[in-house]
Amino acid sequence: MSPETLPLHAPLPPLGESQRATVDAAIAAHQSCEGPLLPILHAVQEALGYVPPACLPRIAHALNLSRAEVHGVVSFYHHFRSTPPGRQVLALCRAEACQSVGARALETHIRSRWGIDFGETSADGAVTLEAVYCLGNCACGPSAFIDGKLVGRLTPERIDALLASRERP
Amino acid sequence: MSVTVYVPRDASAVSVGADEVASAIAREAARRGESIRLRRNGSRGLAWLEPLVEVETPQGRLAYGPVATADVPALFDAGFLSGAAHTLALGPVDAIPALRRQQRVTAARLGQDEGDNLAAYVATGGYAGLRRALAMSPVDVVAEVTGSGLRGRGGAAFPTGIKWKTCAEAAGTQKYIVANADEGDSGTFADRLLMEGDPYSLIEGMTIAAYAVGASRGYIYLRIEYPHAQQMLLSALAHARAAGWLGPSIGGTDFGFELEVRMAAGAYVCGEETALLESLEGKRGQVRFKPPLPAHVGLFGKPTVVNNVVTLATVPWILANGATAYRELGTGNSRGTALLQLAGNIRHGGLYEVPFGMSLRELLYDIGGGTLSGRPIRAVQIGGPLGAYLAEKHFDTALDYESLAANGGLLGHGGIVVFDDSVDMAEQARFAMEFCAAESCGKCTPCRIGSVRGMEVIDRLRAGDVAQETLLRDLCDTLLNGSLCALGGMTPYPVLSALDHFPDDFRRTETSR
């Protein structure tokens, strides 16, 4: 779910104790640097897998920003997620160099094999599909990040094998 | 005596199994009781040969590639540790034709050693440029860079020396150097190769720039898609700091410079320098109106030089070898070398550093070896997702700024993406609009709305409504002339070039497709 689709009137799911500690640690680690907001958001997403909307007021307060300003930043950048991802994240490159060696066929394969489009998580929570535009691996494409690991020269079979080999029981 | 074996740790090599190959070599050597020293070098940029394994022998470094894990036992059987023949043997690495015909200046060190090996960097002439710069006045350093004819390699091709001079002459005690390492164009990876294979050249270049303009702090704004480069830069920065090449008093002078890596968050528009600065400040990456120029009012409102990675990484060579030596390479107003990146559907994809002026045909066929699929080349996109598509009739164009511009193209960051004859150019034109819609920062109407309308118009055109072509051209004209930055302003390049050079693809109806 993208941040835009969160109903504005709904109360935010509260931060758990450990999430709050994580957010506070991220704030403490980066608050004193120049332009601290992105480093804080990166630290939160790295630790939690996403940026819980409920942590935005906390970050906003610490940086003397409005909650709207922080929300505006989180929602602007493709990298930040506002909901937890599936157990695996497949970030497939959609840029031209990968298209020229079959990336579009990979998109079709994933749509039919996993029943998900970009920005969606499969019903069983196994896989989240994300779009990325260029991983800098343009001469070894098509490319993707699978759980943060860069893989090149992809085929539909290789994607299936990589996802299967990483799926936890 | 142990034999040194090199297996690249570059992201591309790793993406096609270099880590597994390195482990397999270590395991196999242990099993056979062979003593080896495994080193993880950067990539030479010969992507189709990755993982490219090299063995140090009395005859020099001999190459084998592309090596798969399954090949490892056979390589040992054949005696590759002493350089023996094998079907994957490529001979001395320096004699590989794709390397021999290049003229490596900025990329000279790529693949030779571990990227963060500071001793190797210094032993191969590293920090000679900074040493010479520190013995000169800042004004003379700026003059040296101006005299070299170096133009920004990020795409805009603005003369680097003039940018530095503007910042140097700006009032203010706090100034910044920012490396634009948000290499987001499809088909480009020169910045990444440099940051992973020779990060000190960027660090040294930024330090020289800081000395020249009077900056005390610098940031490398690195795209989040480059985690390998991040690791390498962090390691190199720590080594440089420990050795006194960064910090309060560099080279025993009273010049101090602090440098930090900052991660982007997946917004293409942040490659535009003012959007990049907004992002570094912790805001949405929206483009600023110019003027004021960043050289006057940049990061946190202070005078700032924003240069691309290749530009900055070239500066140490210019300072070490002199402006004239650099100027003598190249042609016309395109001085020095071009780091061309050949990608997509091409047999020999990779990085090629050549003096400006090589023809596109020579690069595609003589060097690139034609398509990977074996089918004819139909279209070539130069300069990233906002670059024009060129057709067969343009292949004799010389690869320099002016010649490409004369053919409606642009060199951009030097990325060249090849498509075979299975490509649907109307689909590619639509994708350009889709990409612009996804990546627009939203500040200006032509880009934000025009890109969405552009997709709709192309859909109607492809559905058979030929009158939509006039509307599409009108819309492109609005984007071209009315957008605030290059994202909206250049999206018409791929669209119009596809329409001009491949009109039939837009006139087929859905049924004939």
Side-chain angles (χ1 to χ4, degrees), chain B residues 228-488:
Chain B
H228 299 83
Q230 181 192 14
Q231 284 176 17
M232 189 56 79
L233 285 169
L234 291 177
S235 172
L237 284 174
H239 288 307
R241 200 166 283 127
W245 291 113
L246 283 173
S249 58
I250 293 170
T253 66
D254 57 4
F255 164 64
F257 184 55
E258 294 293 343
L259 186 49
E260 209 180 297
V261 179
R262 279 296 173 85
M263 298 312 285
Y268 176 78
V269 73
C270 291
E272 197 280 341
E273 62 177 358
T274 62
L276 186 160
L277 295 175
E278 291 283 300
S279 181
L280 264 180
E281 291 179 4
K283 301 172 190 157
R284 296 162 69 93
Q286 289 194 304
V287 174
R288 294 177 184 169
F289 291 98
K290 283 197 277 192
L293 296 169
H296 291 130
V297 181
L299 187 61
F300 303 110
K302 303 290 196 285
T304 302
V305 164
V306 184
N307 277 150
N308 166 260
V309 171
V310 172
T311 315
L312 288 163
T314 302
V315 166
W317 193 96
I318 290 170
L319 265 295
N321 296 277
T324 314
Y326 193 74
R327 223 191 143 70
E328 279 170 359
L329 304 166
T331 171
N333 285 326
S334 305
R335 310 312 314 181
T337 57
L339 274 76
L340 303 174
Q341 300 125 82
L342 204 46
N345 196 337
I346 188 88
R347 252 167 78 195
H348 297 159
L351 176 80
Y352 295 93
E353 183 171 6
V354 293
F356 282 102
M358 177 181 279
S359 86
L360 179 55
R361 190 180 302 279
E362 189 180 353
L363 186 71
L364 293 176
Y365 292 101
D366 297 356
I367 293 183
T371 62
L372 188 64
S373 61
R375 301 167 67 115
I377 297 176
R378 179 146 189 259
V380 177
Q381 188 177 31
I382 305 187
L386 312 178
Y389 284 101
L390 301 185
E392 170 77 31
K393 63 181 173 188
H394 303 109
F395 288 178
D396 292 311
T397 308
L399 291 162
D400 63 64
Y401 298 118
E402 280 74 23
S403 307
L404 276 165
N407 283 284
L410 76 161
L411 190 59
H413 188 40
I416 297 172
V417 177
V418 181
F419 291 81
D420 72 12
D421 62 352
S422 66
V423 67
D424 176 347
M425 294 307 296
E427 185 70 49
Q428 295 309 120
R430 189 193 190 279
F431 179 79
M433 287 292 190
E434 188 185 346
F435 181 74
C436 181
E439 298 296 337
S440 175
C441 83
K443 189 160 182 167
C444 75
T445 316
C447 174
R448 185 182 67 243
I449 311 275
S451 54
V452 178
R453 295 290 173 258
M455 284 192 279
E456 296 166 0
V457 174
I458 293 174
D459 285 344
R460 289 198 292 268
L461 181 57
R462 296 174 75 207
D465 182 355
V466 292
Q468 296 290 315
E469 183 177 333
T470 314
L471 193 56
L472 181 59
R473 288 186 184 276
D474 269 5
L475 183 64
C476 283
D477 185 62
T478 304
L479 276 160
L480 200 65
N481 294 300
S483 299
L484 193 53
C485 83
L487 176 52

Side-chain angles (χ1 to χ4, degrees), chain A residues 33-35 37-38 42 72 76-79 94 96-97 99-100 104 133-134 136-139 145 150 152-153, chain B residues 12 15 47 50 176 186-187 189 192 219 223 262-266 279 283-285 344-345 381 427-428 431 439:
Chain A
C33 74
E34 294 182 321
L37 183 51
L38 257 58
H42 277 304
F76 180 84
Y77 294 97
H78 300 307
H79 177 71
R94 296 193 68 203
E96 288 84 350
Q99 285 176 17
S100 76
R104 285 173 192 255
Y133 296 94
C134 198
N137 199 29
C138 317
F145 275 135
L150 181 65
R153 295 178 193 154
Chain B
S12 273
S15 83
E50 297 291 6
Y176 293 97
S186 177
F189 41 86
R192 181 181 66 69
Y219 289 98
R223 60 199 312 256
R262 279 296 173 85
M263 298 312 285
S279 181
K283 301 172 190 157
R284 296 162 69 93
N345 196 337
Q381 188 177 31
E427 185 70 49
Q428 295 309 120
F431 179 79
E439 298 296 337

